[in-house]
Amino acid sequence: MLITEKLYLLMASDREKPESVVSATGYGMNAALISDLMIAGRVALSDDQQRQIQLIGAGPCPDPVLAAPLAKLEKKEQLSLDEAVRISGLCDARLVTDSLAKAGIVEYGERTLLGMGKKSVRIINEQIQRQIRADLQAALHGHKTPGASDITVLSIIQAIGLAPEVLKDELAPMSTGQAQARIKELAQDSPVADSAQQAVATMNEAITTQRIIPPATGKG
């Protein structure tokens, strides 16, 4: 499962409009997409302090969720990580829900606005949601060694300032300060088995120690 999809499911518990889910994460979903592109071997980061986005790999991207943002990045020049995560419209919410619907995790319902708006979306496989949360809780409390995907999800949620809200049960009984320190620790210990994981690890450490992603509006 993509990091983008995990983040969507964590944020979508009380929403039926994918666009409102993406909006609530601020630029968090963009950061998730960039991380997914790194894991897919299509994006890397320069080794200098500028953290320039480097496009690698060749040929078409088979995953529609990633193909669209990759095409947008390919049109940019001299783009830093800070600039990339702030690209308006980088994440297409409907491509994310299309992928989740194909996997049987969500389903489309009626159109909003008297049948003329976009279709609502609801989660039908809540077991997937519960498993994601169980994995994050185990990682936070040291009961499981997390992979790059889970560490990235935690790093992004902390970076956008929503960890106490989105992960309230998973973080308990940690204080806010303890939770921040634990997620930062996990980010600094991200697995680096290959170049893709190294890029993700660099990004995780950057977004948890610097203000690269602006705070999000939250779930209100």
Side-chain angles (χ1 to χ4, degrees):
M1 176 176 284
L2 294 174
I3 294 168
T4 307
E5 293 170 334
K6 286 187 177 183
L7 183 59
Y8 179 92
L9 291 172
L10 287 168
M11 294 292 298
S13 298
D14 56 357
R15 286 187 175 82
E16 290 189 344
K17 294 182 179 179
E19 291 76 16
S20 68
V21 176
V22 173
S23 176
T25 69
Y27 293 109
M29 204 67 77
N30 285 1
L33 279 170
I34 293 169
S35 298
D36 282 323
L37 285 167
M38 290 176 179
I39 292 175
R42 302 307 297 259
V43 166
L45 291 178
S46 64
D47 294 330
D48 55 32
Q49 293 185 345
Q50 299 301 315
R51 292 185 297 271
Q52 294 290 320
I53 294 290
Q54 298 176 332
L55 301 179
I56 57 178
C61 183
D63 191 326
V65 177
L66 303 183
L70 179 61
K72 291 184 178 182
L73 291 175
E74 288 174 340
K75 296 178 181 179
K76 305 287 184 177
E77 293 184 5
Q78 299 296 318
L79 195 66
S80 69
L81 174 61
D82 307 51
E83 294 167 335
V85 298
R86 297 169 190 250
I87 295 176
S88 178
L90 187 65
C91 179
D92 186 328
R94 295 288 161 164
L95 290 177
V96 178
T97 52
D98 284 350
S99 177
L100 291 170
K102 186 176 181 180
I105 300 172
V106 305
E107 70 175 5
Y108 287 105
E110 299 297 323
R111 292 185 181 275
T112 57
L113 298 176
L114 302 177
M116 295 183 290
K118 294 182 177 180
K119 290 183 177 180
S120 61
V121 175
R122 72 182 186 92
I123 297 170
I124 57 176
N125 188 343
E126 295 182 352
Q127 176 58 35
I128 298 295
Q129 271 187 319
R130 289 192 291 269
Q131 186 60 57
I132 292 171
R133 290 187 174 277
D135 289 343
L136 295 180
Q137 183 177 39
L140 287 164
H141 295 278
H143 303 313
K144 174 185 177 181
T145 301
S149 173
D150 286 343
I151 292 175
T152 304
V153 169
L154 290 170
S155 299
I156 292 172
I157 292 175
Q158 172 152 300
I160 61 179
L162 297 183
E165 180 180 344
V166 177
L167 300 174
K168 179 180 178 180
D169 294 337
E170 289 73 28
L171 289 169
M174 295 183 193
S175 66
T176 299
Q178 289 172 329
Q180 290 176 344
R182 176 56 177 158
I183 294 174
K184 183 177 178 180
E185 177 186 28
L186 288 171
Q188 292 174 337
D189 291 336
S190 296
V192 290
D194 53 37
S195 59
Q197 288 189 350
Q198 178 64 65
V200 173
T202 299
M203 179 170 170
N204 288 343
E205 184 171 3
I207 65 177
T208 54
T209 58
Q210 303 170 41
R211 185 56 65 87
I212 291 176
I213 309 175
T217 59
K219 300 179 69 180

